[in-house]
Coordinates of all heavy atoms in Angstrom, one line a residue:
L1 N -9.4 14.4 14.8 CA -10.8 14.3 14.5 C -11.5 13.4 15.4 O -12.6 13.6 15.8 CB -11.0 13.9 13.1 CG -10.6 14.9 12.0 CD1 -10.8 14.4 10.6 CD2 -11.3 16.2 12.1
S2 N -10.9 12.3 15.7 CA -11.5 11.3 16.7 C -11.8 12.0 18.1 O -12.8 11.8 18.6 CB -10.6 10.1 16.9 OG -10.7 9.3 15.9
N3 N -10.8 12.8 18.5 CA -11.0 13.5 19.7 C -12.1 14.4 19.8 O -12.9 14.6 20.7 CB -9.7 14.2 20.2 CG -8.6 13.2 20.6 OD1 -8.9 12.0 20.9 ND2 -7.4 13.7 20.6
T4 N -12.2 15.1 18.6 CA -13.4 16.1 18.5 C -14.7 15.3 18.6 O -15.6 15.7 19.2 CB -13.2 16.9 17.2 OG1 -12.0 17.5 17.2 CG2 -14.4 17.9 17.1
A5 N -14.8 14.2 17.8 CA -16.0 13.4 17.8 C -16.3 12.9 19.2 O -17.5 13.0 19.6 CB -15.9 12.3 16.9
H6 N -15.3 12.4 19.9 CA -15.5 11.9 21.3 C -15.9 13.0 22.2 O -16.8 12.9 23.1 CB -14.2 11.2 21.8 CG -14.0 9.9 21.2 ND1 -14.9 8.9 21.0 CD2 -12.8 9.5 20.6 CE1 -14.4 7.9 20.4 NE2 -13.1 8.2 20.1
A7 N -15.3 14.2 22.0 CA -15.7 15.4 22.9 C -17.1 15.8 22.7 O -17.8 16.1 23.6 CB -14.7 16.5 22.6
I8 N -17.6 15.8 21.4 CA -18.9 16.1 21.2 C -19.9 15.2 21.9 O -20.8 15.6 22.6 CB -19.2 16.2 19.6 CG1 -18.5 17.4 19.0 CG2 -20.7 16.2 19.4 CD1 -18.5 17.4 17.5
R9 N -19.6 13.9 21.7 CA -20.5 12.9 22.4 C -20.5 13.1 23.9 O -21.5 12.9 24.6 CB -20.1 11.5 21.9 CG -20.4 11.3 20.5 CD -20.3 9.9 20.0 NE -21.1 9.0 20.8 CZ -22.5 8.7 20.6 NH1 -23.1 9.4 19.7 NH2 -23.1 7.9 21.3
A10 N -19.3 13.4 24.5 CA -19.1 13.6 25.9 C -19.9 14.8 26.4 O -20.6 14.8 27.4 CB -17.7 13.7 26.3
L11 N -19.9 15.9 25.6 CA -20.5 17.1 26.0 C -22.1 16.9 25.9 O -22.8 17.3 26.9 CB -20.2 18.2 25.0 CG -18.8 18.8 25.1 CD1 -18.5 19.7 24.0 CD2 -18.8 19.7 26.4
V12 N -22.5 16.1 24.9 CA -24.0 15.8 24.9 C -24.4 14.9 26.0 O -25.4 15.2 26.7 CB -24.3 15.2 23.5 CG1 -25.7 14.6 23.5 CG2 -24.1 16.2 22.4
A13 N -23.6 14.0 26.3 CA -23.9 13.0 27.4 C -23.9 13.7 28.8 O -24.7 13.3 29.7 CB -22.9 11.9 27.5
T14 N -23.2 14.7 29.0 CA -23.2 15.5 30.2 C -24.2 16.6 30.2 O -24.3 17.4 31.3 CB -21.9 16.0 30.6 OG1 -21.4 17.0 29.5 CG2 -20.8 15.0 30.7
G15 N -25.1 16.7 29.2 CA -26.1 17.7 29.2 C -25.9 19.0 28.6 O -26.7 19.9 28.8
E16 N -24.8 19.1 27.9 CA -24.4 20.3 27.3 C -25.6 20.7 26.3 O -25.9 19.9 25.4 CB -23.1 20.3 26.5 CG -22.6 21.6 26.0 CD -22.1 22.5 27.1 OE1 -21.7 22.1 28.2 OE2 -22.2 23.8 26.9
P17 N -26.2 21.9 26.3 CA -27.2 22.2 25.3 C -26.7 22.3 23.9 O -25.6 22.7 23.7 CB -27.8 23.6 25.8 CG -27.1 23.9 27.2 CD -26.0 23.0 27.3
S18 N -27.5 21.9 23.0 CA -27.0 21.9 21.6 C -26.7 23.2 21.1 O -26.0 23.4 20.1 CB -28.0 21.2 20.7 OG -29.3 21.8 20.7
A19 N -27.2 24.2 21.7 CA -27.0 25.7 21.3 C -25.8 26.2 21.9 O -25.4 27.4 21.7 CB -28.2 26.5 21.6
S20 N -25.1 25.5 22.8 CA -23.9 26.0 23.5 C -22.8 26.4 22.5 O -22.6 25.6 21.5 CB -23.4 25.1 24.6 OG -22.7 24.0 24.0
S21 N -22.0 27.3 22.8 CA -21.0 27.8 21.9 C -19.9 26.7 21.7 O -19.4 26.5 20.6 CB -20.4 29.1 22.3 OG -19.8 29.0 23.5
V22 N -19.6 26.0 22.8 CA -18.5 25.0 22.7 C -18.9 23.9 21.8 O -18.2 23.4 21.0 CB -18.0 24.6 24.1 CG1 -19.1 23.8 24.8 CG2 -16.8 23.7 24.0
L23 N -20.2 23.5 21.9 CA -20.7 22.3 21.1 C -20.8 22.7 19.6 O -20.5 21.9 18.7 CB -22.0 21.8 21.7 CG -22.5 20.5 21.2 CD1 -21.5 19.4 21.3 CD2 -23.8 20.1 22.0
R24 N -21.3 24.0 19.4 CA -21.4 24.5 18.1 C -20.0 24.6 17.4 O -19.8 24.2 16.2 CB -22.1 25.8 18.0 CG -23.6 25.6 18.3 CD -24.3 26.9 18.1 NE -23.5 27.9 19.0 CZ -23.8 29.2 19.0 NH1 -24.8 29.7 18.3 NH2 -23.1 30.0 19.8
R25 N -19.0 25.1 18.1 CA -17.6 25.2 17.5 C -17.1 23.8 17.2 O -16.4 23.6 16.2 CB -16.7 25.9 18.5 CG -16.8 27.4 18.4 CD -15.6 28.1 19.2 NE -15.4 27.6 20.5 CZ -16.0 28.0 21.6 NH1 -16.8 29.0 21.5 NH2 -15.6 27.5 22.8
A26 N -17.2 22.9 18.1 CA -16.7 21.5 17.9 C -17.4 20.9 16.7 O -16.7 20.2 15.9 CB -16.9 20.6 19.1
S27 N -18.7 21.1 16.6 CA -19.4 20.5 15.5 C -19.0 21.2 14.2 O -18.9 20.4 13.1 CB -21.0 20.7 15.7 OG -21.4 20.0 16.8
R28 N -18.8 22.4 14.1 CA -18.4 23.2 12.9 C -17.0 22.6 12.5 O -16.8 22.4 11.3 CB -18.4 24.7 13.1 CG -19.7 25.3 12.9 CD -19.5 26.9 12.8 NE -18.7 27.5 13.8 CZ -19.3 28.0 15.0 NH1 -20.6 27.9 15.1 NH2 -18.5 28.5 15.8
S29 N -16.2 22.5 13.5 CA -14.8 22.0 13.2 C -14.9 20.6 12.6 O -14.1 20.3 11.6 CB -14.0 21.9 14.5 OG -12.8 21.3 14.3
L30 N -15.7 19.8 13.1 CA -15.8 18.4 12.6 C -16.4 18.4 11.1 O -15.9 17.8 10.3 CB -16.8 17.5 13.5 CG -16.7 16.0 13.3 CD1 -15.3 15.5 13.5 CD2 -17.6 15.4 14.3
C31 N -17.4 19.2 11.0 CA -18.1 19.4 9.6 C -17.0 19.9 8.6 O -17.0 19.4 7.5 CB -19.2 20.3 9.6 SG -20.7 19.7 10.5
A32 N -16.2 20.8 9.0 CA -15.2 21.4 8.1 C -14.2 20.3 7.6 O -13.5 20.5 6.6 CB -14.5 22.5 8.7
A33 N -14.0 19.3 8.4 CA -13.1 18.3 8.1 C -13.5 17.2 7.0 O -12.7 16.4 6.6 CB -12.6 17.6 9.4
Q34 N -14.8 17.3 6.7 CA -15.3 16.3 5.7 C -14.8 16.6 4.3 O -14.7 17.8 3.9 CB -16.8 16.4 5.7 CG -17.5 15.3 4.9 CD -19.0 15.4 4.8 OE1 -19.5 16.4 4.7 NE2 -19.7 14.2 4.9
S35 N -14.4 15.6 3.6 CA -13.9 15.7 2.3 C -15.1 15.9 1.3 O -16.2 15.6 1.6 CB -13.0 14.5 1.9 OG -13.9 13.4 1.7
K36 N -14.8 16.3 0.1 CA -15.8 16.4 -0.9 C -16.6 15.1 -1.2 O -17.7 15.1 -1.6 CB -15.3 17.1 -2.2 CG -14.9 18.5 -2.0 CD -14.4 19.2 -3.3 CE -14.1 20.6 -3.0 NZ -13.8 21.3 -4.2
S37 N -15.8 14.0 -1.1 CA -16.4 12.7 -1.3 C -17.4 12.3 -0.3 O -18.1 11.2 -0.4 CB -15.3 11.7 -1.5 OG -14.7 11.4 -0.3
G38 N -17.4 12.9 0.9 CA -18.3 12.6 1.9 C -17.7 11.9 3.1 O -18.3 11.8 4.2
I39 N -16.5 11.5 3.0 CA -15.8 10.8 4.1 C -15.0 11.7 4.9 O -14.7 12.9 4.5 CB -14.9 9.6 3.6 CG1 -13.7 10.1 2.8 CG2 -15.7 8.6 2.9 CD1 -12.7 9.0 2.5
F40 N -14.6 11.3 6.0 CA -13.7 12.1 6.9 C -12.3 11.4 6.8 O -12.1 10.3 7.3 CB -14.2 12.1 8.3 CG -15.4 13.0 8.5 CD1 -16.7 12.5 8.1 CD2 -15.3 14.3 9.0 CE1 -17.8 13.3 8.3 CE2 -16.4 15.1 9.1 CZ -17.7 14.5 8.8
E41 N -11.4 12.0 6.0 CA -10.1 11.4 5.8 C -9.3 11.4 7.2 O -9.3 12.4 7.9 CB -9.3 12.3 4.8 CG -10.0 12.4 3.5 CD -9.7 11.2 2.6 OE1 -8.9 10.3 2.9 OE2 -10.4 11.1 1.6
A42 N -8.7 10.2 7.4 CA -7.9 10.1 8.6 C -6.6 10.8 8.4 O -5.8 10.4 7.6 CB -7.8 8.6 9.0
P43 N -6.2 11.8 9.2 CA -4.9 12.4 9.1 C -3.9 11.4 9.6 O -4.2 10.3 10.2 CB -5.0 13.6 10.0 CG -6.3 13.6 10.8 CD -7.1 12.5 10.2
S44 N -2.7 11.7 9.3 CA -1.6 10.8 9.7 C -1.5 10.5 11.2 O -1.0 9.4 11.6 CB -0.2 11.3 9.2 OG 0.1 12.5 9.8
D45 N -2.0 11.4 12.1 CA -1.8 11.1 13.5 C -3.1 10.4 14.1 O -3.1 10.1 15.2 CB -1.7 12.4 14.2 CG -2.8 13.4 14.1 OD1 -3.6 13.2 13.2 OD2 -2.9 14.3 14.9
E46 N -4.0 10.0 13.2 CA -5.1 9.2 13.7 C -4.8 7.7 13.8 O -3.9 7.2 13.0 CB -6.3 9.3 12.7 CG -7.1 10.6 12.8 CD -7.9 10.7 14.0 OE1 -8.2 9.6 14.7 OE2 -8.4 11.8 14.3
H47 N -5.4 7.0 14.7 CA -5.1 5.6 14.9 C -6.2 4.8 14.4 O -6.3 3.6 14.6 CB -4.8 5.3 16.4 CG -3.6 6.1 16.9 ND1 -2.3 5.8 16.6 CD2 -3.6 7.1 17.7 CE1 -1.5 6.6 17.2 NE2 -2.3 7.4 17.9
V48 N -7.1 5.4 13.6 CA -8.2 4.6 13.0 C -8.3 5.0 11.4 O -7.7 6.0 11.0 CB -9.5 5.0 13.7 CG1 -9.6 4.6 15.1 CG2 -9.9 6.5 13.4
G49 N -9.0 4.2 10.7 CA -9.1 4.4 9.3 C -10.3 5.4 9.0 O -11.0 5.8 9.9
S50 N -10.3 5.8 7.8 CA -11.3 6.8 7.4 C -12.8 6.3 7.6 O -13.6 7.1 7.9 CB -11.1 7.2 5.9 OG -9.9 7.8 5.8
L51 N -13.0 5.0 7.3 CA -14.4 4.5 7.6 C -14.8 4.7 9.0 O -15.9 5.2 9.3 CB -14.5 3.1 7.1 CG -15.9 2.4 7.2 CD1 -16.9 3.1 6.3 CD2 -15.8 1.0 6.8
E52 N -13.9 4.2 9.9 CA -14.3 4.3 11.4 C -14.4 5.8 11.8 O -15.3 6.2 12.5 CB -13.2 3.6 12.2 CG -13.6 3.7 13.7 CD -12.7 2.8 14.5 OE1 -12.0 2.0 14.0 OE2 -12.7 3.0 15.7
L53 N -13.5 6.6 11.3 CA -13.6 8.0 11.5 C -14.8 8.7 11.0 O -15.5 9.5 11.7 CB -12.4 8.8 11.0 CG -12.1 10.2 11.3 CD1 -12.1 10.4 12.9 CD2 -10.9 10.8 10.7
T54 N -15.2 8.3 9.8 CA -16.5 8.8 9.3 C -17.7 8.4 10.2 O -18.6 9.2 10.5 CB -16.7 8.3 7.8 OG1 -15.6 8.8 7.1 CG2 -18.0 8.8 7.3
A55 N -17.7 7.1 10.6 CA -18.8 6.6 11.5 C -18.8 7.4 12.8 O -19.9 7.7 13.3 CB -18.6 5.1 11.7
R56 N -17.7 7.7 13.4 CA -17.5 8.4 14.6 C -18.1 9.8 14.4 O -18.8 10.4 15.2 CB -16.1 8.5 15.1 CG -15.6 7.2 15.7 CD -14.2 7.3 16.1 NE -13.7 6.0 16.5 CZ -12.4 5.8 17.1 NH1 -11.7 6.8 17.2 NH2 -12.1 4.6 17.4
A57 N -17.7 10.4 13.3 CA -18.1 11.8 13.0 C -19.7 11.9 12.9 O -20.3 12.7 13.4 CB -17.5 12.3 11.7
V58 N -20.2 11.0 12.1 CA -21.7 10.9 11.9 C -22.4 10.7 13.2 O -23.4 11.4 13.5 CB -22.1 9.8 10.9 CG1 -23.6 9.6 10.9 CG2 -21.6 10.2 9.5
S59 N -21.9 9.8 14.0 CA -22.5 9.5 15.3 C -22.5 10.8 16.2 O -23.5 11.1 16.9 CB -21.7 8.4 16.1 OG -22.2 8.2 17.3
A60 N -21.3 11.5 16.2 CA -21.2 12.7 17.1 C -22.2 13.8 16.6 O -22.8 14.5 17.3 CB -19.8 13.2 17.0
L61 N -22.2 14.0 15.2 CA -23.1 15.0 14.7 C -24.6 14.7 14.9 O -25.4 15.6 15.2 CB -22.8 15.2 13.2 CG -21.4 15.8 12.9 CD1 -21.1 15.8 11.4 CD2 -21.3 17.2 13.5
L62 N -24.9 13.4 14.9 CA -26.3 13.1 15.2 C -26.6 13.4 16.7 O -27.7 13.9 17.0 CB -26.6 11.6 14.9 CG -26.7 11.2 13.4 CD1 -26.7 9.7 13.2 CD2 -28.0 11.8 12.9
A63 N -25.7 13.0 17.5 CA -25.9 13.3 18.9 C -26.0 14.8 19.3 O -26.7 15.3 20.2 CB -24.7 12.7 19.7
A64 N -25.2 15.6 18.5 CA -25.2 17.1 18.7 C -26.5 17.8 18.3 O -26.8 18.9 18.7 CB -24.0 17.7 18.0
R65 N -27.3 17.1 17.5 CA -28.6 17.6 17.1 C -28.6 19.1 16.5 O -29.4 19.8 16.8 CB -29.6 17.6 18.2 CG -29.9 16.2 18.7 CD -30.9 16.3 19.8 NE -31.2 14.9 20.2 CZ -32.2 14.6 21.0 NH1 -33.0 15.5 21.4 NH2 -32.4 13.4 21.3
G66 N -27.6 19.4 15.7 CA -27.5 20.7 15.1 C -27.9 20.6 13.6 O -28.3 19.6 13.2
P67 N -27.6 21.7 12.9 CA -28.0 21.7 11.5 C -26.9 21.1 10.6 O -26.3 21.8 9.8 CB -28.1 23.2 11.2 CG -27.1 23.8 12.2 CD -27.1 22.9 13.4
H68 N -26.6 19.8 10.8 CA -25.6 19.1 10.1 C -26.1 18.1 9.2 O -25.3 17.2 8.7 CB -24.7 18.4 11.2 CG -24.3 19.3 12.3 ND1 -24.9 19.1 13.5 CD2 -23.5 20.3 12.4 CE1 -24.4 20.0 14.4 NE2 -23.6 20.8 13.7
W69 N -27.3 18.2 8.7 CA -27.9 17.1 7.9 C -27.2 17.0 6.5 O -27.0 15.9 6.0 CB -29.4 17.4 7.7 CG -30.2 17.0 8.9 CD1 -30.8 17.9 9.7 CD2 -30.3 15.7 9.4 NE1 -31.3 17.2 10.8 CE2 -31.1 15.9 10.7 CE3 -29.9 14.5 9.1 CZ2 -31.4 14.8 11.4 CZ3 -30.2 13.4 9.9 CH2 -31.0 13.6 11.0
G70 N -26.7 18.0 5.9 CA -26.0 18.0 4.7 C -24.7 17.1 4.8 O -24.4 16.2 4.0
V71 N -24.0 17.4 5.9 CA -22.7 16.6 6.2 C -23.1 15.1 6.4 O -22.4 14.2 5.9 CB -22.0 17.2 7.4 CG1 -20.8 16.4 7.8 CG2 -21.5 18.6 7.0
I72 N -24.1 14.9 7.2 CA -24.5 13.5 7.5 C -25.0 12.8 6.2 O -24.6 11.7 6.0 CB -25.5 13.5 8.6 CG1 -25.0 14.0 9.9 CG2 -26.2 12.1 8.8 CD1 -26.0 14.4 11.0
Q73 N -25.7 13.5 5.5 CA -26.3 12.8 4.2 C -25.1 12.6 3.2 O -25.3 11.6 2.5 CB -27.3 13.7 3.6 CG -28.6 13.8 4.4 CD -29.6 14.7 3.8 OE1 -29.3 15.7 3.3 NE2 -30.9 14.4 4.0
R74 N -24.1 13.4 3.2 CA -23.0 13.0 2.3 C -22.1 11.8 2.8 O -21.5 11.1 2.0 CB -22.1 14.2 2.1 CG -22.7 15.3 1.2 CD -21.6 16.4 0.9 NE -21.2 17.1 2.0 CZ -21.8 18.1 2.5 NH1 -23.0 18.6 2.0 NH2 -21.3 18.7 3.6
A75 N -22.1 11.7 4.2 CA -21.3 10.7 4.8 C -21.9 9.3 4.8 O -21.3 8.2 4.5 CB -20.9 11.0 6.2
V76 N -23.2 9.2 5.1 CA -23.9 7.9 5.2 C -23.8 7.0 4.0 O -23.5 5.8 4.2 CB -25.4 8.1 5.6 CG1 -26.2 6.8 5.6 CG2 -25.4 8.7 7.1
P77 N -23.9 7.4 2.8 CA -23.8 6.6 1.7 C -22.4 6.0 1.6 O -22.3 4.8 1.2 CB -24.1 7.4 0.5 CG -24.9 8.5 1.0 CD -24.4 8.8 2.4
R78 N -21.4 6.6 2.0 CA -20.0 6.1 2.0 C -19.9 5.0 3.1 O -19.1 4.0 2.8 CB -19.0 7.2 2.3 CG -19.0 8.3 1.2 CD -18.5 7.7 -0.1 NE -17.2 7.0 0.1 CZ -16.4 6.9 -0.9 NH1 -16.5 7.5 -2.0 NH2 -15.2 6.3 -0.6
L79 N -20.6 5.1 4.1 CA -20.6 4.0 5.2 C -21.3 2.8 4.7 O -20.9 1.7 5.1 CB -21.2 4.5 6.5 CG -20.5 5.7 7.2 CD1 -21.4 6.1 8.4 CD2 -19.2 5.2 7.7
S80 N -22.2 2.9 3.8 CA -23.0 1.7 3.4 C -22.7 1.2 2.0 O -23.2 0.4 1.5 CB -24.5 2.0 3.5 OG -24.8 3.1 2.6
S81 N -21.7 1.9 1.4 CA -21.4 1.6 0.0 C -20.6 0.3 -0.1 O -19.9 -0.1 0.9 CB -20.6 2.7 -0.7 OG -19.3 2.8 -0.2
R82 N -20.6 -0.3 -1.3 CA -19.9 -1.6 -1.5 C -18.4 -1.4 -1.5 O -17.6 -2.2 -1.2 CB -20.3 -2.2 -2.9 CG -21.6 -2.8 -2.8 CD -22.0 -3.4 -4.1 NE -22.3 -2.3 -5.0 CZ -22.3 -2.5 -6.3 NH1 -22.0 -3.6 -6.9 NH2 -22.6 -1.5 -7.1
D83 N -17.9 -0.1 -1.7 CA -16.4 0.1 -1.7 C -15.9 0.5 -0.3 O -14.8 1.0 -0.2 CB -16.1 1.2 -2.7 CG -16.7 2.5 -2.4 OD1 -17.6 2.6 -1.6 OD2 -16.2 3.5 -3.0
R84 N -16.7 0.2 0.7 CA -16.2 0.7 2.1 C -15.0 0.0 2.5 O -14.2 0.5 3.3 CB -17.3 0.5 3.1 CG -17.7 -1.0 3.3 CD -18.8 -1.0 4.4 NE -19.2 -2.4 4.5 CZ -20.3 -2.9 4.1 NH1 -21.1 -2.2 3.4 NH2 -20.6 -4.2 4.3
D85 N -14.7 -1.2 1.9 CA -13.5 -1.9 2.4 C -12.2 -1.1 2.0 O -11.2 -1.2 2.6 CB -13.3 -3.3 1.7 CG -14.4 -4.2 2.3 OD1 -14.8 -4.0 3.5 OD2 -14.8 -5.2 1.6
S86 N -12.3 -0.3 0.9 CA -11.2 0.5 0.5 C -10.9 1.7 1.5 O -9.9 2.3 1.4 CB -11.4 1.1 -0.9 OG -12.5 2.0 -0.9
L87 N -11.8 2.0 2.3 CA -11.7 3.1 3.3 C -11.0 2.7 4.5 O -10.6 3.5 5.3 CB -13.1 3.7 3.6 CG -13.9 4.3 2.5 CD1 -15.3 4.7 2.9 CD2 -13.1 5.5 1.9
W88 N -10.8 1.4 4.8 CA -10.1 1.0 6.0 C -8.7 1.4 5.8 O -7.9 1.6 6.5 CB -10.3 -0.5 6.3 CG -11.6 -0.8 6.7 CD1 -12.6 -1.4 5.9 CD2 -12.2 -0.6 8.0 NE1 -13.7 -1.5 6.7 CE2 -13.5 -1.1 7.9 CE3 -11.7 -0.1 9.2 CZ2 -14.4 -1.0 9.0 CZ3 -12.6 0.0 10.3 CH2 -13.9 -0.5 10.2

């Protein structure tokens, strides 16, 4: 998931249009990984915790400028909640 988030940001930084198929596929893949609680659970092969992964995903989706507001809105409260220490 971290790689997908980094790829989205790289594509945006290099001028990839938000309507491009590769950017839309990467964004959809990232959105599909969100848990019902709003966070992005770190799989066993990730080297970061769920809080950092959620922040990376939100940042990438904001950069992609697609129709991802529902995903972003579910994630942001988890980033700012008092129980965020439990997500590390």
Side-chain angles (χ1 to χ4, degrees):
L1 293 176
S2 285
N3 288 342
T4 303
H6 290 308
I8 289 170
R9 292 191 55 83
L11 288 166
V12 170
T14 59
E16 189 72 27
S18 59
S20 77
S21 61
V22 67
L23 193 51
R24 288 182 311 174
R25 276 193 313 272
S27 297
R28 276 195 310 267
S29 173
L30 197 56
C31 289
Q34 186 180 42
S35 71
K36 290 184 182 190
S37 69
I39 65 169
F40 289 79
E41 300 279 349
S44 61
D45 63 340
E46 282 287 345
H47 300 289
V48 298
S50 294
L51 181 62
E52 185 172 343
L53 188 57
T54 300
R56 287 179 185 184
V58 168
S59 177
L61 293 172
L62 285 169
R65 297 183 180 192
H68 314 104
W69 285 110
V71 172
I72 293 166
Q73 288 175 330
R74 283 190 300 277
V76 168
R78 296 299 302 213
L79 293 172
S80 61
S81 70
R82 285 182 286 160
D83 65 343
R84 67 179 178 256
D85 291 336
S86 66
L87 296 175
W88 289 104

